[in-house]
Amino acid sequence: MELNWSTFLLEIINFLVLVWILKRFLYKPVLDVIARRRADIEDRLAKAQHLHDEADRLKAEYENRLVDWEHERQQAKDNLSQELNEERTRRLEQLHTTLKQEQNKAKVSQLQQQTKIAQALEHQALQQSAQFATRLLNQASGPELEARLIGVLLENLANLSQDQIKTLNTQWGRQPESIVVASAYPLPENQRTNLEIALGKITGETIPIQYKQNSDLLAGLNITIGAWVLQTNIRDELKGFTEFAYATE
Amino acid sequence: MNEENLLIELGPLVITTTVMTTWVIMGLIWICSWLITRRLRIDPGPLQTATEGVVTSIEDAVVAIDSQHAQRIMPFIGSLWIFLVIANLSSLIPGVHAPTRDLSATSALAIIVFFSTHWFGIRIQGLKEYLRHFLSPSPILLPFNLISEITRTIALAVRLFGNMMSLEMVALLILLVAGFLVPIPIMMLHIVEALVQAYIFGMLALIYVAGGIQSHKLHENGQGGSHD
């Protein structure tokens, strides 16, 4: 236990050097890196706080926006519901109108159908009656019926007024060269004479008459004076009857 | 002079094993510090974490005593703790004597603490203000304050020297009497004692330095209290 001054002095110097070494190579770098880390952590905390604040702000903004959206959505939903109700009402009205129109059309169509059926039945009846009359007249026709028809003709020609005769004269045009008289059966002489007298009275002149026989006429006459044709026979009457039946369809 | 401790003699300058061991310890501390701190990262590894733990523990201890001047006195107190821990534990290596078992080394450290107390006190308070605290609370106590400054320095040196030398002596005596492996419990006690003595020396030095710095505050607080 003795004090060595040389060691004493060297230890003092050594320790002072050691303090410098530790300060230079240990404390300063370590404290610097700790300070940098703290600054980095504080910076990150500040950034995190900033992000947190920003997130809070965005959250509040989004919540407000969500409320707005909810309100808009509800409003749109109400509008849509109202539009749907209106559209449904309109469509129902339109459907009712269409149904009524269709019902009317159906009624009209039904009526038309019924009318057509009635017409067809009527036409069929007329045809059948015409066929029946034709068949009946075919069987019933003969010189007697023809004589009676000539008698009716002569009576009608005799009853014609002057005006009617004048009108007839204008219808056959220029003076015909001959008058063609077709009959279903051969005409007796007396009927030919009466017929020539009646025709001469109508035409006012003596025009030669050509007599022809046409059994298709069934009974009666077919007189042709130029462009004018007088049909007083069963065939043409039946034909006119059938044409009338077609014309009434 | 003990001939066993003498290594080199250059005229008046004598290099003892204590000085040589101190240089080795300094060299190791230097190399380790350089190796650890050359690649410091923000994201630390295990070794960096341990180093930062040591440094921040020292800083926290200093801040707990004097937070205002911690940055100034921390390197000095930290160096004392680091050096003393390593120096005290160096005697566990066979053939190596701890520098702190030499009274010259402990006296050198104590005298450094003595002058550091006055150095920091004068630098921070100013000479007049610092010297005034020797007269407080009464000028009559000036001799006692001066004696206290000297005796506590001597106590600081002798306490560390006595404890470390006695531990080595006990281990040596038990080894001589009982033989191999028997001194192991004493050596384990040596580890605890080495750490405790390093802590006591550094903490006392911290308290002395902080006391010198904050003496004017205590004085002002005392006057303020009397006014109240």
Side-chain angles (χ1 to χ4, degrees), chain A residues 120-174:
Chain A
L121 288 172
E122 189 179 355
H123 177 63
Q124 192 176 3
L126 285 171
Q127 278 186 330
Q128 284 178 353
S129 61
Q131 287 173 358
F132 176 75
T134 304
R135 198 173 298 164
L136 182 64
L137 290 172
N138 269 330
Q139 290 177 359
S141 62
E144 297 82 12
L145 180 60
E146 189 174 79
R148 286 198 63 183
L149 288 173
I150 292 169
V152 171
L153 173 65
L154 293 173
E155 189 178 350
N156 288 335
L157 289 174
N159 292 331
L160 287 174
S161 62
Q162 287 300 320
D163 293 335
Q164 287 175 328
I165 292 170
K166 198 176 286 181
T167 304
L168 283 173
N169 286 330
T170 59
Q171 285 183 355
W172 58 57
R174 64 183 178 84

Side-chain angles (χ1 to χ4, degrees), chain B residues 173-200:
Chain B
L173 288 172
I174 290 174
L175 183 65
L176 288 173
V177 172
F180 189 59
L181 296 179
V182 178
I184 287 177
I186 296 298
M187 292 177 77
M188 292 171 71
L189 179 66
H190 188 155
I191 294 171
V192 176
E193 184 67 15
L195 296 174
V196 169
Q197 287 303 319
Y199 178 76
I200 289 172

